[in-house]
């Protein structure tokens, strides 16, 4: 496409692709270009996650996360059916192993039910019928949860976006944005791109893109690395499906757990430690400028000051597979060190405010001609098509797009 386009989407992860897909559904014929800085789509969070189709168990009733996760699950299954993407609705078990976890488990059950999730509460015998290797006091069984390859899903979305007439340009990084007479001009590593409207879905860089148009002040992305351990093939029987501990409600992470993959593998994790670079997937990857920016941020310092004990424990566990194993043995005591080896990592883009509080819900902000997805951590892969529909609705209301 040459000349000014109607709309640019920045970010070729699952949220950007689903947004482009929904915008083109809302307004066929829209001259849309999607820009992705990597040479391939889905290179970051979308290609480096647990592959779970989440049920809305833990999100606050009435939140965007609760609503869009529930809608997104249904949308994702319909899209996967239509495009021949394999998935399995295998169910999940959330297990309380200590008496002090029982009230938290009850709170999860209450929240899940308020969000429309159908579940069963199980005692030790019944939970072993579902997961024979699991031990605990009480568990919730959520049959609606599933597994899928979100990278494959995103690539299929990319094909569908191209089939709807849009252009996807990879290897093009947006470096600056300026206002023009009747729209915006994006400076990129491949020259300027003029557009009437703009939606950014930049994951780990979402705060930077928002800052380029003067939005999102007071919100910063903190990258939390999550490392996985892979179970050796002979140990895959330790989880038939998905086994979670009861999550700490203060954090948006689910705790180290066992995950069956759609290709038959079994993974444990992910943990959650500060990444020393936004895209630093190995423990030794450090970007001093980015790290300095985080460590000098008032919001991060407040967060770290509040939860330094939890953070220190996570960092220790990140260095020791033995400590990682100990966390897993709480629900699955038969696992041994020989069953595990370190595997891949992903990095979560989690927005925090200047006062050190986490932005818990999905956040979409903007102004004239611009919308920015500022916080789309888990379950945004599950919710992607519903987030896309939400953004398309906002675009119709704010931009010159007509349904
Ligand atoms: C470890 C881990 C486990 C998870 N597990 C699950 C799960 O099981 N189920 C689930 O539903 N969710 C899960 N999530 C969350 C889910 O993966 C993310 O919420 C989702 O992938 C976010 O998609 P996105 O498109 O916003 O971000 P991304 O996939 O990160 O995509 C953003 C894209 O923007 C591009 N970009 C950034 N800046 C620029 C720029 N200046 N110019 C051009 N392009 C740019 C990036 O290169 C990137 O490709 C998990 C996440 C992690 C990290």
């Amino acid at each position: 496409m040459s000349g000014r386009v109607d709309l640019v989407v920045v970010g070729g992860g699952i949220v950007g692709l689903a947004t482009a897909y929904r915008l083109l559904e809302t307004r066929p014929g829209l001259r849309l270009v999607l820009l992705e800085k990597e040479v391939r789509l889905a290179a970051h969070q979308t290609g480096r996650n647990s592959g779970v189709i989440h049920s809305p168990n833990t999100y606050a009733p009435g939140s965007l996360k609760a609503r869009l996760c529930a809608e997104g699950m249904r949308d994702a299954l319909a899209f996967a059916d239509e495009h021949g993407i394999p998935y399995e609705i295998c169910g999940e078990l959330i297990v309380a192993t200590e008496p002090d976890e029982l009230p938290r488990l009850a709170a999860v059950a209450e929240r899940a039910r308020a969000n429309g999730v159908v579940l069963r509460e199980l005692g030790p015998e019944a939970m072993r019928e579902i997961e024979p290797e699991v031990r605990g006091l009480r568990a919730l069984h959520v049959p609606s949860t599933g597994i899928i390859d979100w990278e494959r899903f995103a690539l299929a979305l990319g094909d569908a976006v191209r089939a709807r007439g849009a252009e996807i340009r990879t290897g093009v990084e947006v470096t600056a944005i300026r206002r023009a007479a009747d729209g915006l001009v994006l400076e990129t590593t491949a020259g300027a791109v003029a557009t009437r409207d703009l939606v950014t879905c930049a994951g780990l860089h979402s705060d930077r893109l928002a800052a380029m148009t003067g939005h999102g002040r007071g919100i910063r992305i903190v990258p939390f690395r999550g490392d996985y351990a892979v179970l050796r093939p002979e140990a895959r029987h330790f989880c038939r499906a998905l086994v979670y501990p009861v999550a700490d409600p203060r954090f948006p992470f689910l705790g180290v757990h066992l995950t069956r993959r759609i290709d038959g593998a079994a993974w444990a994790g992910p943990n959650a430690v500060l990444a020393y670079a936004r895209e630093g997937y190995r423990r030794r990857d450090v970007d001093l400028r980015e790290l300095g920016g985080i460590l000098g941020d008032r919001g991060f310092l407040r967060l770290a000051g509040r939860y330094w004990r939890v953070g220190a424990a996570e960092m220790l566990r990140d260095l020791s597979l033995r400590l990682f194993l100990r966390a897993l043995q709480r629900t699955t005591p038969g696992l041994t060190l020989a069953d595990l080896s370190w595997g891949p990592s992903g990095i979560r883009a989690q927005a925090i405010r200047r006062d050190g509080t986490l932005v818990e819900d999905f956040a979409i902000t903007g102004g004239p001609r611009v919308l920015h997805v500022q916080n789309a951590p888990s379950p945004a892969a599950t919710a992607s098509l519903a987030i896309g529909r939400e953004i398309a609705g906002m675009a119709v209301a704010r931009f010159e797009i007509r349904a």
Side-chain angles (χ1 to χ4, degrees):
M1 270 177 217
S2 58
R4 196 183 76 148
V5 297
D6 296 328
L7 195 143
V8 167
V9 173
V10 178
I14 199 165
V15 174
L17 290 161
T19 297
Y21 179 80
R22 291 302 195 199
L23 283 162
L24 292 159
E25 185 176 70
T26 305
R27 166 72 203 278
L30 190 72
R31 284 163 50 88
L32 186 150
V33 172
L34 184 145
L35 303 177
E36 165 54 50
K37 71 179 166 63
E38 304 297 341
V39 291
R40 63 185 180 90
L41 298 173
H44 293 294
Q45 296 175 92
T46 299
R48 294 170 166 273
N49 59 43
S50 302
V52 175
I53 307 169
H54 282 296
S55 301
N57 300 333
T58 52
Y59 317 123
S63 64
L64 278 179
K65 273 191 181 174
R67 175 167 65 82
L68 299 180
C69 179
E71 290 173 18
M73 268 184 110
R74 290 190 288 271
D75 293 346
L77 299 189
F79 184 89
D81 284 337
E82 194 183 329
H83 294 267
I85 302 164
Y87 65 87
E88 192 187 326
I89 302 301
C90 55
E92 71 178 288
L93 210 56
I94 307 168
V95 185
T97 52
E98 305 290 335
D100 65 350
E101 291 176 346
L102 292 173
R104 266 156 52 193
L105 189 75
V108 173
E110 195 181 327
R111 237 179 203 200
R113 287 194 175 110
N115 290 334
V117 175
V118 175
L119 53 83
R120 279 193 308 148
E121 299 189 37
L122 308 177
E125 288 298 312
M127 77 178 81
R128 277 203 293 277
E129 277 169 29
I130 293 170
E131 289 283 359
E133 298 291 341
V134 163
R135 300 290 177 270
L137 299 175
R138 212 162 169 72
L140 305 178
H141 182 232
V142 183
S144 53
T145 305
I147 51 175
I148 193 165
D149 177 346
W150 287 121
E151 179 173 357
R152 184 166 171 185
F153 189 96
L155 296 183
L157 273 172
D159 290 342
V161 164
R162 286 192 195 94
R164 288 182 171 178
E167 187 184 343
I168 295 182
R169 295 177 62 192
T170 53
V172 180
E173 179 172 354
V174 176
T175 53
I177 302 170
R178 58 189 160 80
R179 298 264 168 198
D182 191 22
L184 301 141
V185 175
L186 277 55
E187 301 295 344
T188 81
T189 47
V193 178
T195 181
R196 193 184 60 211
D197 300 316
L198 172 68
V199 179
T200 74
C201 309
L204 288 153
H205 300 274
S206 56
D207 50 351
R208 289 179 171 163
L209 269 292
M212 287 181 198
T213 61
H215 292 101
R217 285 201 189 88
I219 290 188
R220 154 185 284 282
I221 288 293
V222 176
F224 284 101
R225 199 182 69 237
D227 299 305
Y228 293 93
V230 176
L231 271 65
R232 65 189 176 113
E234 297 75 19
R236 287 179 182 167
H237 64 278
F238 279 109
C239 66
R240 285 183 175 165
L242 304 163
V243 180
Y244 292 87
V246 189
D248 185 333
R250 292 173 301 168
F251 306 106
F253 312 124
L254 296 173
V256 172
H257 53 266
L258 288 173
T259 307
R260 171 67 65 175
R261 308 280 297 176
I262 194 68
D263 64 3
W267 290 8
N271 58 356
V273 290
L274 178 68
Y276 308 134
R278 291 193 191 214
E279 291 164 7
Y281 292 102
R282 297 167 304 182
R283 291 176 181 81
R284 63 174 184 276
D285 290 336
V286 183
D287 181 321
L288 287 177
R289 255 187 68 189
E290 283 183 354
L291 186 59
I294 295 169
L295 296 180
D297 182 74
R298 214 183 304 155
F300 177 76
L301 290 175
R302 287 190 173 136
L303 179 75
R306 219 172 288 152
Y307 299 120
W308 68 270
R309 267 179 218 279
V310 181
E314 278 287 311
M315 285 176 83
L316 267 180
R317 193 159 63 192
D318 190 48
L319 298 173
S320 160
L321 196 56
R322 198 176 287 279
L323 291 179
F324 202 87
L325 170 71
R326 210 175 283 163
L328 294 166
Q329 283 175 329
R330 290 177 57 201
T331 57
T332 317
L335 266 175
T336 67
L337 205 52
D339 295 324
L340 299 178
S341 56
W342 285 119
S345 303
I347 299 184
R348 309 168 181 87
Q350 174 61 52
I352 69 165
R353 299 186 193 86
R354 228 173 250 156
D355 65 3
T357 55
L358 298 168
V359 178
E360 284 191 14
D361 208 356
F362 295 147
I364 306 162
T365 59
R369 304 199 175 288
V370 183
L371 286 169
H372 295 292
V373 175
Q374 285 220 262
N375 194 49
S378 190
T382 306
S384 53
L385 280 168
I387 295 175
R389 191 189 294 109
E390 188 81 4
I391 293 173
M394 293 169 84
V396 167
R398 289 167 180 236
F399 301 165
E400 286 162 38
I401 296 171
R402 295 283 166 260

